[in-house]
Amino acid sequence: MRFGVLGPVTAWTDAGEPVTIQGLKVRALLADLLVHEGRPVPADRLIDDLWGSQLPGNPAGTLSAKVSQLRRAFEDAEPGSRALVKSGPAGYSLTVDSSSYDALTFADRVGAGRLGEALALWRGPAYADFADEAFVETAVARLDEQRLNAVETWADAPVDELAALVAEHPLRERLRASHMRALYRSGRQTEALDSYEELRRLLADELGLDPSPELVALHQSILTQELPSRRSNLPAQLTELIGRSEALADVSACLAASRLVTLTGPGGVGKTRLSLGAAAEVADRFSDGVVFVELAAVTPAALSVSNSLTDAVQAALDVRDIAGPFETVVERLAAVMGSRLLVLDNCEQVVSEVADLTDRLLAAAPGLRVLATSREPLGLAGEVVWSVPTLDVPSRDDGLEVLSERSAVQLFVARASAASRDFTLTDENAADVSVLCRRLDGIPLALELAATRVRALGVRGLVARLDDRFRLLATGHRGAAPRQQTLLAMIDWSWELLSPDEQAVLRRLAVHADGCTAEAASVVCGFDVLDVLIRLVDRSLVVPVQGVEGPRYRLLESVAAYCVEKLRAADELESVQQRHLEYYTSFAEEARPQLYGGAQGRWLQLLDEDAANLRSALDRAVATDQVELAERLVDALAWYWYLRGRIAEALRSLAAVPGSKRAGAWRVGFMYVQGDSAAAAERDRWLEAADARAQWWIAFAGSDVGDLVTCQALLEVALKTFEADGDQWGVAAVLAARAKHAHVRSDAAALHADASESARIFRTLGDRWGVLQATSWLSAHAEFVGDFDKAAQLQREGAQLADELGLWPELAGSLGMLGWTEIRQGDYDAARAHGERALRLATEQDQRSTQALAEIVLAYAARRTGALDEAETRLRALVDAARQQKDPVLYLSMVLTELAYVVELRGEPSTALELHLEAFRISEEYESVRGMCWSLEGIAACLPDKRVAAQLLGSVDATRAAEGFLVAPAESGDYDRSASAARAVLGDEEYELAHAAGTTLSPEQAFRLL
C-alpha cells in the first residue's frame, strides 16, 4: 500500500490502483495519521482533530469505528494491508516508510540531491482536501517550505513552475532569483529584468526595503549578460553504468550528509566509474559545479608531490594560479571553490599528501565537498569510507531468469554482446556464464576484459583457461586480498594471450602520464604501433579517448601498474623513460614557434593535452641531472606557461635549472608578473646575456612594476635587432609594449601609431594574442581621446577573442579596460560588474597588474556612488602593495589622486593635499601629462589660497586643450567642485584673472607656484 499527501490525500495499492475510502471523517483520520509519519497518535488528539468542539455521543467508540472502517477499506483493496493501521498504549499509528509514503520519499530524494525526481511527486497543494484543518497546518507549512527550497536549489526548474510559485510568494528573494536565472537562460533576458523590477517595487512599496546585495548582483549579471554558469568537467561516459543503482543512491545520500566521502576498493572494482556516476547524480546541488581531478599522473617520484597535486587541481578548475592575500596555494585554491564538488580520483599513490590537501581545503572552503577514490581511506576526521562492492554474482542454482537479473551477469552480457553481436544469454551458455562471473568475483574490469575474448574463445573456453591460472595465483599472492588476486590473474592471463609486439607496446605505454597520441606511442615504443594499439583497444587493455586532433590512448590504472613491473622485468624501464623524455622535449620545441603565429590556438590545446607528460618529462630530466634537456624543456614551455597563466608552475620549473641563462631571463619576467620585489635584482643578473627576445620579455613584463627608463631602453635595443633580423613578431611585440609607454606619457599620437602598426603586423602573422595586445592599446587610445563607444567595442571584441582562446589573463585585462571606459562614461553599475569579473579572473591567474586595474575600477565606481569606505579600503590596499616595490608602479599616481579625493570628502584637506603632491611628483617622473593634470586639479580643491588654486585650474585647462585631452561629463564633478570653491572666495572677476594667468603655465611651472 502506498500513500500520498503531496496533493489530495490518497492511497493506492502496490499495483497502482486507487483505494476507495468512504466517509469524510475516515479520510480525515487517514490524513491525521499521515501527518505523524508512522508515529503513534493518542486517541484524545485524534478525537480533538477530527471533531473539535462538535463531539459525538461516544467519542472513543466513534473513533474506534472510524479506525475499523479505514482498516476495512485497506483490506478490501489489498488483502493483508489492514495490519498497516496499528493500535497500542500510545495510540494509533499507520506504518509508512520512504518507499510507501510520498512525503518521506520527497524528503529522501531532496536529501540525495535528486531534486527533479522529488518535485515530480507533487500533484497539487499538500493535503489539498484538508488544507483548512488545523491539524495539518504545521505539516503543510513544512512541506511547502521544503518544496520551495527544492525549487530554489534545482538548477533545471521549469520557468512556468517558477513563475507560478513567484505569483504565490512574490516577496521571496531566493525564489525570485531562481525565476530570473531560468528566464535568462531561456533567452528571455528582458523578462528576467522585469521580474527583478517587480520585486524591487514590491519591496519598496510594501516593506520599505531594497533587494538584497545578492539579488542586485544577479540583476547586474543579467543586465551585462555575464550570468556565470556552473563549471563541470566530468567526462562523458560512453557506456551505461550497470548494476550500481543502489550504490549511486547510497553514495549520493552520503554526500548529502558528509563533506568527505571516499570510495575504496581494489583496482578494477569500478571506483572511478561509480564516482563519475555519483558526481553526475548530485551535480544539481552545487551552484559552482563539479570538478573531476585525475591524480594517476601524480606520483611519489615528482619533484614536489604537494605542488603537483595543487597543479592538478588548478588545471582541472581551469583557473591555474590564483593570487590574493593568501599565504599558501591551498588558501588560494579554497578562495575560488565556492559551492562545488571536487572529485579526486586515484589517490592511493600519494594518499598522505592528498589527505593533507583535502583536509586543508575542507577547512578553508565551507561550501566544498570532496568525493575521493582510493585503495585506502584518507584517514581524516569526518570521512565517510564507502567500500565499493563487487557486482552481484549468481548462485550455483540460479535459473536463467534469476541469472539475468544479477548485475555481474548483466555487465558481462552487455560487454560480450558489444564485442560479439551474436552473443546472448541462453540456456546453453547460462551455466558457463554463471561460473565465469563467480570465478571473477564480479569485478567489473575483470568481467570487461573477459568479455572481449568471447568472440575468439567462447564462454566455455574462457572458463577452461581461467581454471589453471586461478589455481596458480591463489597460492602465489597470499598477502593480497582475494579480489586483488583475481584481478591480477585476469590481467596476467590477458597479458599472456598477447603477441610479443602487443606485450612490448602495452608495457612501454605505461611510462606515459594521462595517455598519449599514436605518434608519441610509436616514438616511445620504438616502432609504428597503430595497428597494435587498435588490437589492444579491442582487448580493453588500452582506452581510447578523443583528443584535439584524433584519438589518444591511455592505460587503465591497474594495467599501467602491472606494465611498469613488466618493464622492470624486461630491463626496459630506464631506456623507455629516456625515449619519453627525449620525445616530449622535441614535441615542446616543435610547439614553441607555433605559439607565435596563426597556429597558436591549436598548439595551445595540444600542449594542454600533454601537460602531464611534459611535467613528467621535466621531472625526469631534473631528477636524472640531464641539465641540457631540462633547459631545452623549460625554454620551450615558458611562453606556453605565460599564455595559460601558469605563473607558479613556470617559476618552479625555471628554478630547477638555476644556471641557465635563458631560464634566468624567463624567470625575471615571471617574477615581474607576480609582483616580486626581487625582480629588479634578478634582472641585473641576467640582462647582459639576454638576446632580443629576452630583452623584450623582461621589458614587457616589467613595465607595470619596473624601471620604465630601463624598460624603454631595452625595447629600443630589441627593436633594432628585430628589424635587422627580419623578426616581424618581435617588431610587433616591441611596438605593442612601446604603445603602453606612450599611454603612460599621455602621447596620444605615438600611442596610436605604435598600436596600429603592431596590430597590422600581428594580424598578418595570425597571432591572436598579439592582436589582443595591440587592440587593447588602440582601445586605450580611443578612450584617451573620448571615443568611448569605439573603446568599448574594441574591448568587448578583445574579451570575446580571449575567451575563445582560453587566454584568461588577457580576458581579465579586456574586462578591466572595459570597466575603466565605463567609469569615464559614468556607467558605474556596468563598470562594477566588469571590474568584479576582471578581478576574479586576474586573481585566479595571478596577474598582479590586471588585479590592480580591476581594483582601481571598483574603487572609482565606489567613490562615485558614495561608497567611501569601500573606495578607501581598496585604494589603501593598492597603495600599500605599490609601496612594497622598489620602483613606483604605474598605477600609483592615479590611485593616490583618487584616495586624496576620498580623504578630502571626509573633511581632511591637508592630508588630501599631501597625497595629491606625491601623485604629481610620480606623474612628473614618468612624464605623464594627463596624470599631472589630474593631480593639479586635486591640489586646487585642497589649497587654502584660492588664487593659486585658480591658476592651477587655468594651467590644467590650457594643457588639456593643447594636448587634446577630453574630460567626459562624468569626470567633471571634481573640477567643478574646485572651481566653485575658488569662485566663492575670489568672486568671478578675480577668479577669471587668476585663471587666465594660469593658462600661460605648463603643469610643471604651475606646480612650482606651491
Side-chain angles (χ1 to χ4, degrees):
M1 190 77 68
R2 294 183 292 117
F3 305 95
V5 296
L6 304 181
V9 177
T10 314
W12 303 272
T13 66
D14 287 338
E17 296 294 327
V19 177
T20 302
I21 301 174
Q22 299 290 346
L24 180 61
K25 294 301 183 185
V26 180
R27 293 180 60 245
L29 171 63
L30 173 60
D32 207 341
L33 293 174
L34 287 171
V35 164
H36 293 84
E37 300 180 345
R39 299 183 300 275
V41 190
D44 290 345
R45 174 68 179 273
L46 288 171
I47 291 168
D48 186 54
D49 288 344
L50 268 60
W51 288 283
S53 60
Q54 306 294 319
L55 293 176
N58 180 4
T62 305
L63 175 62
S64 179
K66 299 302 180 188
V67 171
S68 295
Q69 288 176 347
L70 182 62
R71 286 172 170 161
R72 187 163 55 252
F74 286 176
E75 188 69 17
D76 290 343
E78 197 167 79
S81 59
R82 66 177 294 114
L84 293 174
V85 182
K86 296 181 171 20
S87 60
Y92 294 93
S93 64
L94 178 63
T95 302
V96 292
D97 57 29
S98 60
S99 66
S100 62
Y101 181 27
D102 64 0
L104 295 178
T105 307
F106 173 76
D108 274 9
R109 290 181 179 177
V110 169
R114 298 154 62 188
L115 301 179
E117 295 176 35
L119 291 165
L121 296 170
W122 285 75
R123 297 166 286 110
Y127 295 91
D129 40 351
F130 293 98
D132 295 330
E133 299 294 335
F135 69 84
V136 301
E137 183 177 341
T138 301
V140 167
R142 174 175 52 82
L143 287 168
D144 284 347
E145 183 64 23
Q146 290 176 352
R147 182 188 187 188
L148 286 170
N149 283 329
V151 171
E152 290 166 348
T153 305
W154 189 25
D156 299 318
V159 173
D160 292 343
E161 182 176 347
L162 287 166
L165 290 172
V166 165
E168 294 177 30
H169 308 276
L171 297 177
R172 191 177 175 102
E173 290 203 355
R174 280 191 67 203
L175 184 62
R176 182 74 66 161
S178 297
H179 185 226
M180 290 166 62
R181 289 191 189 95
L183 286 168
Y184 178 82
R185 288 169 177 156
S186 300
R188 298 155 68 179
Q189 181 188 11
T190 301
E191 292 177 57
L193 296 172
D194 290 343
S195 181
Y196 170 85
E197 184 59 30
E198 178 187 46
L199 174 65
R200 187 196 62 76
R201 188 173 59 253
L202 287 171
L203 286 173
D205 293 344
E206 297 185 23
L207 302 177
L209 298 175
D210 292 325
S212 67
E214 292 79 12
L215 203 66
V216 171
L218 174 62
H219 171 258
Q220 187 59 42
S221 296
I222 293 173
L223 188 66
T224 57
Q225 298 187 6
E226 293 172 354
L227 182 63
S229 59
R230 292 175 298 165
R231 179 179 294 172
S232 178
N233 68 342
L234 291 178
Q237 300 305 298
L238 302 180
T239 56
E240 179 186 3
L241 182 58
I242 295 174
R244 295 298 195 192
S245 56
E246 291 183 8
L248 279 176
D250 203 359
V251 174
S252 298
C254 288
L255 283 169
S258 175
R259 296 184 62 209
L260 171 60
V261 178
T262 302
L263 306 183
T264 62
V269 79
K271 300 185 294 294
T272 298
R273 188 67 176 84
L274 179 58
S275 73
L276 291 171
E281 190 87 1
V282 303
D284 285 341
R285 300 184 202 172
F286 302 93
S287 58
D288 292 307
V290 178
V291 173
F292 180 79
V293 186
E294 168 59 68
L295 299 179
V298 180
T299 70
L303 293 177
S304 169
V305 173
S306 59
N307 286 338
S308 295
L309 283 174
T310 53
D311 285 346
V313 175
Q314 288 175 18
L317 286 167
D318 201 19
V319 297
R320 305 302 185 260
D321 301 296
I322 308 150
F326 311 110
E327 296 182 1
T328 67
V329 176
V330 176
E331 291 177 359
R332 296 172 184 175
L333 280 173
V336 297
M337 284 298 176
S339 171
R340 196 186 304 271
L341 175 65
L342 194 64
V343 183
L344 301 176
D345 190 43
N346 290 311
C347 302
E348 55 271 358
Q349 292 187 96
V350 286
V351 66
S352 61
E353 291 85 356
V354 173
D356 179 65
L357 174 62
T358 302
D359 193 28
R360 295 166 66 190
L361 282 176
L362 288 171
L368 174 67
R369 299 208 171 204
V370 175
L371 176 61
T373 74
S374 177
R375 292 184 187 177
E376 61 180 291
L378 302 189
L380 297 176
E383 179 185 23
V384 172
V385 179
W386 203 92
S387 180
V388 179
T390 57
L391 295 176
D392 184 26
V393 298
S395 302
R396 295 179 184 275
D397 54 354
D398 280 352
L400 183 62
E401 183 175 347
V402 176
L403 185 70
S404 65
E405 296 299 318
R406 304 291 189 182
S407 55
V409 174
Q410 291 173 341
L411 176 64
F412 177 81
V413 170
R415 301 298 185 258
S417 299
S420 177
R421 292 183 181 179
D422 296 334
F423 179 83
T424 57
L425 183 64
T426 65
D427 285 325
E428 288 73 26
N429 62 25
D432 290 327
V433 170
S434 178
V435 170
L436 183 71
C437 291
R438 285 199 304 276
R439 295 287 182 87
L440 294 179
D441 286 343
I443 295 177
L445 175 58
L447 292 166
E448 294 192 356
L449 288 170
T452 64
R453 308 303 295 167
V454 166
R455 183 171 53 188
L457 300 174
V459 182
R460 184 156 298 177
L462 284 171
V463 173
R465 284 160 175 79
L466 281 173
D467 281 340
D468 291 339
R469 178 60 60 192
F470 283 4
R471 277 199 295 271
L472 172 65
L473 291 180
T475 59
H477 295 275
R478 295 181 187 274
R483 292 172 187 152
Q484 291 172 310
Q485 295 173 22
T486 304
L487 181 60
L488 289 172
M490 189 69 252
I491 299 174
D492 201 22
W493 166 74
S494 300
W495 171 268
E496 292 191 3
L497 291 177
L498 300 176
S499 68
D501 278 355
E502 290 168 344
Q503 289 181 345
V505 171
L506 189 61
R507 67 175 178 260
R508 292 170 188 173
L509 287 177
V511 300
H512 291 90
D514 202 25
C516 63
T517 62
E519 177 191 351
S522 295
V523 173
V524 173
C525 291
F527 60 95
D528 187 353
V529 301
L530 183 57
D531 290 341
V532 179
L533 279 174
I534 293 172
R535 295 200 299 272
L536 291 172
V537 168
D538 288 342
R539 287 160 174 74
S540 294
L541 291 167
V542 172
V543 179
V545 292
Q546 187 57 43
V548 176
E549 296 186 341
R552 291 173 60 82
Y553 302 92
R554 63 190 300 269
L555 299 184
L556 295 170
E557 169 200 355
S558 300
V559 176
Y562 179 91
C563 289
V564 168
E565 295 306 315
K566 288 296 183 182
L567 272 176
R568 287 196 178 95
D571 197 24
E572 291 182 346
L573 184 58
E574 292 294 325
S575 61
V576 175
Q577 285 180 331
Q578 186 64 23
R579 285 204 294 269
H580 176 276
L581 166 58
E582 291 170 358
Y583 170 79
Y584 282 101
T585 301
S586 299
F587 172 71
E589 289 179 329
E590 179 187 1
R592 175 175 51 193
Q594 305 300 328
L595 296 177
Y596 296 93
Q600 185 179 77
R602 168 177 171 257
W603 279 90
L604 281 170
Q605 293 180 39
L606 290 173
L607 289 168
D608 287 343
E609 279 189 339
D610 271 312
N613 278 312
L614 293 163
R615 282 197 301 271
S616 174
L618 179 58
D619 286 346
R620 174 167 173 77
V622 174
T624 56
D625 202 27
Q626 298 184 67
V627 177
E628 180 187 356
L629 287 174
E631 287 181 340
R632 287 168 57 190
L633 262 173
V634 297
D635 187 28
L637 292 173
W639 188 237
Y640 163 70
W641 287 327
Y642 175 73
L643 291 177
R644 281 300 191 229
R646 299 181 182 176
I647 311 304
E649 180 181 355
L651 285 169
R652 285 199 308 272
S653 301
L654 293 164
V657 284
S660 168
K661 295 179 181 179
R662 185 66 179 166
W666 279 117
R667 188 163 61 252
V668 172
F670 281 111
M671 290 173 69
Y672 273 129
V673 171
Q674 207 175 47
D676 191 330
S677 60
E682 188 72 5
R683 178 196 67 196
D684 296 340
R685 178 184 173 194
W686 300 106
L687 200 53
E688 187 175 343
D691 61 12
R693 286 282 177 109
Q695 290 167 345
W696 167 82
W697 164 245
I698 292 172
F700 167 76
S703 291
D704 284 308
V705 293
D707 179 354
L708 279 187
V709 175
T710 300
C711 291
Q712 181 70 37
L714 284 174
L715 290 174
E716 297 304 329
V717 172
L719 180 60
K720 291 179 181 178
T721 304
F722 289 142
E723 290 174 337
D725 294 344
D727 185 344
Q728 286 297 290
W729 191 95
V731 170
V734 168
L735 292 176
R738 207 166 67 174
K740 182 180 207 173
H741 288 253
H743 186 263
V744 172
R745 298 192 311 273
S746 308
D747 188 341
L751 169 61
H752 187 266
D754 282 346
S756 298
E757 180 62 9
S758 176
R760 185 192 68 77
I761 297 173
F762 275 132
R763 286 194 181 97
T764 301
L765 296 173
D767 188 306
R768 291 191 284 178
W769 174 86
V771 171
L772 270 171
Q773 295 297 309
T775 54
S776 71
W777 293 115
L778 285 174
S779 74
H781 176 268
E783 174 266 327
F784 196 88
V785 299
D787 191 347
F788 298 129
D789 290 341
K790 181 180 179 181
Q793 177 190 347
L794 289 170
Q795 288 149 2
R796 288 192 175 93
E797 289 174 357
Q800 182 178 353
L801 180 57
D803 200 9
E804 291 172 358
L805 281 173
L807 299 177
W808 310 125
E810 277 62 41
L811 176 57
S814 294
L815 292 171
M817 291 297 291
L818 179 57
W820 176 248
T821 299
E822 288 160 342
I823 289 291
R824 297 203 68 195
Q825 291 176 299
D827 190 349
Y828 303 125
D829 289 342
R832 180 177 287 278
H834 287 120
E836 287 173 348
R837 190 177 174 205
L839 180 61
R840 191 163 56 248
L841 280 168
T843 301
E844 291 172 353
Q845 302 304 317
D846 204 1
Q847 297 287 315
R848 304 302 171 88
S849 60
T850 311
Q851 278 180 269
L853 170 61
E855 288 282 10
I856 288 170
V857 168
L858 292 172
Y860 271 61
R863 204 259 291 184
R864 283 153 178 74
T865 54
L868 296 185
D869 289 343
E870 178 191 349
E872 183 169 3
T873 298
R874 292 186 184 277
L875 293 166
R876 289 200 182 279
L878 285 165
V879 171
D880 291 343
R883 294 202 193 286
Q884 294 176 13
Q885 302 297 321
K886 294 182 179 178
D887 299 310
V889 298
L890 295 187
Y891 63 76
L892 182 56
S893 174
M894 64 189 302
V895 170
L896 288 169
T897 297
E898 189 69 4
L899 178 59
Y901 279 127
V902 173
V903 173
E904 178 209 337
L905 291 172
R906 291 192 183 283
E908 303 176 37
S910 59
T911 304
L913 179 60
E914 292 300 320
L915 293 169
H916 281 306
L917 293 174
E918 183 182 357
F920 184 93
R921 295 187 185 100
I922 294 171
S923 296
E924 186 177 24
E925 180 183 346
Y926 284 150
E927 302 178 6
S928 175
V929 180
R930 185 160 67 159
M932 287 187 273
C933 288
W934 280 338
S935 298
L936 289 178
E937 193 174 274
I939 291 169
C942 303
L943 277 180
D945 188 339
K946 295 306 178 183
R947 186 182 303 279
V948 175
Q951 289 178 285
L952 297 183
L953 295 176
S955 174
V956 167
D957 286 339
T959 302
R960 284 175 172 161
E963 297 291 338
F965 298 159
L966 175 74
V967 179
E971 300 174 305
S972 61
D974 295 322
Y975 179 95
D976 292 345
R977 192 171 68 255
S978 298
S980 297
R983 284 182 184 275
V985 172
L986 300 176
D988 288 343
E989 183 177 352
E990 191 172 351
Y991 173 85
E992 293 297 342
L993 288 172
H995 182 275
T999 60
T1000 65
L1001 303 176
S1002 70
E1004 293 90 344
Q1005 291 170 332
F1007 186 70
R1008 302 296 176 259
L1009 295 176
L1010 303 176

